[in-house]
């Protein structure tokens, strides 16, 4: 039944609760604040994020100087990679949406600081501007990728700085290359073919996180590869993070219903779906002082959850009154 707190938590996870807004009296459900783990802020109107249900974002490719100037305590809370690290002439250098400020072309595999074009120099620069992760581009479909030495130097320096490495892996063998190099996360669920069970088992054992972006591929084969790969990863106990690549394509800003539905179809459903959206990674804890509010009656069945989440918005926690328990 709709008002049963046990049924509610079964469906939506341990933090779901019935509530009402103090000012309007509107009733609904409160959930932990949501993070979109893959956005590009310079390409969207970020003011629409919180009204659309997103309280925190991970920017996976932007200008580190601009990102460093943001107020630390604002909502949405922003963690970022800073610039893409790539090979000379590699993806996404030269793309209309990727000005020079957001790309660093690595010309020297040096792990020493201060070497022009050096791998460590690029990592150090992002770290000095407050990056929480390092983004590396391994896209073999449109240009060169960093060679083995540069890749190893980037990962080693990031490790030293305590920064997880997020890989954009696209093209045959690229997810394997990223995993073997020690990448901690995939910016997109691998979509260039099926990765297979051994790859997934290794990814789970290594503690990798996979950022979903299931709704991004235009090619149906790529979309189906991503769905199957993520389903396998999730079923094997892998840590799935909701991410949309917001800024890529013209889409409404906020919770993206197509991504939520695609996750649901990949078997990341109900409480697992909420967990993927509420995971604060790379931060240790969710942003404080805010709560997700979904107005109206709660869903009563697993099949209703994805559609119901369209109504999510971010509200100050103090604005919600919890009547139950
Ligand atoms: Zn992206």
């Amino acid at each position: 039944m709709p008002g049963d707190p046990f049924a509610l938590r079964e469906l939506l996870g341990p933090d779901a609760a019935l509530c009402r807004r103090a000012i309007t009296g509107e009733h609904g459900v409160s959930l932990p604040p949501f993070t979109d783990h893959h956005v590009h802020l310079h390409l969207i109107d970020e003011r629409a994020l919180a009204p659309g249900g997103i309280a925190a974002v991970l920017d996976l490719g932007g200008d580190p100087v601009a990102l460093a100037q943001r107020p630390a305590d604002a909502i949405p809370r922003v963690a970022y990679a800073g610039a893409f690290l790539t090979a000379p002439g590699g993806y996404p250098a030269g793309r209309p949406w990727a000005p020079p400020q957001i790309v660093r072309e690595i010309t020297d595999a040096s792990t020493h600081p201060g070497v022009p074009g050096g791998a460590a120099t690029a990592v150090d620069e992002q770290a000095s501007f407050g990056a929480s992760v390092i983004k590396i581009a391994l896209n073999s479909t449109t240009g060169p990728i960093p060679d083995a030495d540069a890749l190893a130097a980037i990962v080693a320096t990031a490790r030293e700085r305590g920064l997880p490495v997020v890989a954009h892996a696209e093209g045959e063998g690229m997810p394997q290359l990223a995993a073997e190099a020690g990448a901690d996360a995939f910016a997109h669920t691998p979509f260039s073919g099926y990765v297979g069970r051994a790859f997934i088992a290794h990814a789970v054992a290594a503690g990798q996180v996979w950022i979903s972006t299931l709704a991004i591929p235009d090619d149906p084969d790529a979309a189906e590869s991503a769905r199957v790969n993520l389903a396998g990863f999730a079923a094997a106990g892998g840590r799935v993070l909701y991410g949309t690549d917001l800024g890529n394509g013209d889409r409404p800003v906020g919770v993206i219903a197509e991504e939520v539905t695609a996750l649901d179809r990949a078997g990341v459903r109900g409480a697992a779906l909420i967990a993927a959206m509420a995971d604060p990674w790379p931060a240790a804890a969710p942003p404080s002082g805010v709560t997700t509010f979904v107005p109206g009656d709660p869903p009563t069945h697993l099949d209703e959850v994805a559609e119901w989440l369209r109504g999510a918005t971010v509200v100050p926690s103090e604005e919600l009154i919890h009547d139950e328990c």
Side-chain angles (χ1 to χ4, degrees), residues 38-40 60-61 84 91 97 135 168 187-188 213 245-246 248:
H38 188 153
V39 306
H40 300 279
L60 284 181
F84 287 84
Y91 175 87
W97 55 267
K135 173 87 175 277
H168 173 115
H188 305 275
T213 76
D245 202 4
L246 207 50
N248 178 352

Side-chain angles (χ1 to χ4, degrees), residues 8-319:
L8 194 69
R9 287 174 199 141
E10 180 97 351
L11 206 56
L12 301 172
D15 298 317
L18 295 172
C19 64
R20 60 190 164 87
R21 292 181 86 157
I23 300 166
T24 62
E26 189 177 25
H27 76 283
V29 175
S30 66
L31 294 166
F34 292 160
T35 295
D36 187 333
H37 300 84
H38 188 153
V39 306
H40 300 279
L41 287 174
H42 70 286
L43 300 171
I44 64 171
D45 178 6
E46 64 175 272
R47 291 167 303 178
L49 283 166
I54 298 298
V57 294
L58 175 59
D59 187 296
L60 284 181
D63 176 3
V65 180
L67 288 161
Q69 288 164 1
R70 306 180 57 87
D73 52 359
I75 295 294
R77 185 177 73 181
V78 177
Y80 49 92
F84 287 84
L85 275 48
T86 191
Y91 175 87
R95 299 284 172 113
W97 55 267
Q101 295 91 319
I102 80 165
V103 183
R104 298 293 178 272
E105 296 171 65
I106 309 300
T107 54
D108 189 319
S110 177
T111 52
H112 296 293
V115 175
T121 305
V123 172
D124 285 344
E125 184 207 2
Q126 311 320 308
S128 72
F129 282 107
S132 300
V133 302
I134 294 297
K135 173 87 175 277
I136 184 163
L138 296 174
N139 181 352
S140 64
T141 66
T142 59
I145 58 162
D147 64 28
D149 290 344
L151 185 54
I154 290 165
V155 173
T157 311
R159 283 263 150 79
E160 268 176 37
R161 305 284 177 272
L163 301 176
V165 173
V166 181
H168 173 115
E170 180 170 0
E172 201 182 332
M174 291 302 105
Q176 290 74 15
L177 183 66
E180 280 159 24
D184 303 282
F186 282 110
H188 305 275
T189 298
F191 57 93
S192 303
Y194 303 116
V195 293
R197 258 194 286 182
F199 181 94
I200 286 169
H202 173 268
V204 174
Q208 277 176 19
V209 294
W210 288 16
I211 298 164
S212 58
T213 76
L214 295 178
I216 277 293
D218 289 327
D219 171 27
D221 289 342
E224 181 61 6
S225 292
R227 188 192 67 79
V228 170
N229 289 336
L230 193 75
F233 180 69
R239 186 171 170 188
V240 175
L241 307 178
Y242 167 84
T244 64
D245 202 4
L246 207 50
N248 178 352
D250 189 19
R251 293 177 292 169
V253 172
V255 170
I256 302 287
E258 289 72 25
E259 188 64 35
V260 175
T261 303
L263 275 161
D264 186 78
R265 286 198 195 117
V268 182
R269 319 194 70 197
L273 177 59
I274 302 300
M277 300 179 82
D279 193 315
W281 192 92
S288 57
V290 291
T291 300
T292 303
F293 177 73
V294 186
D297 290 331
T300 55
H301 191 275
L302 210 45
D303 291 338
E304 299 167 9
V305 175
E307 182 64 26
W308 170 77
L309 283 167
R310 278 179 184 269
T313 190
V314 179
V315 300
S317 304
E318 62 192 15
E319 204 191 286

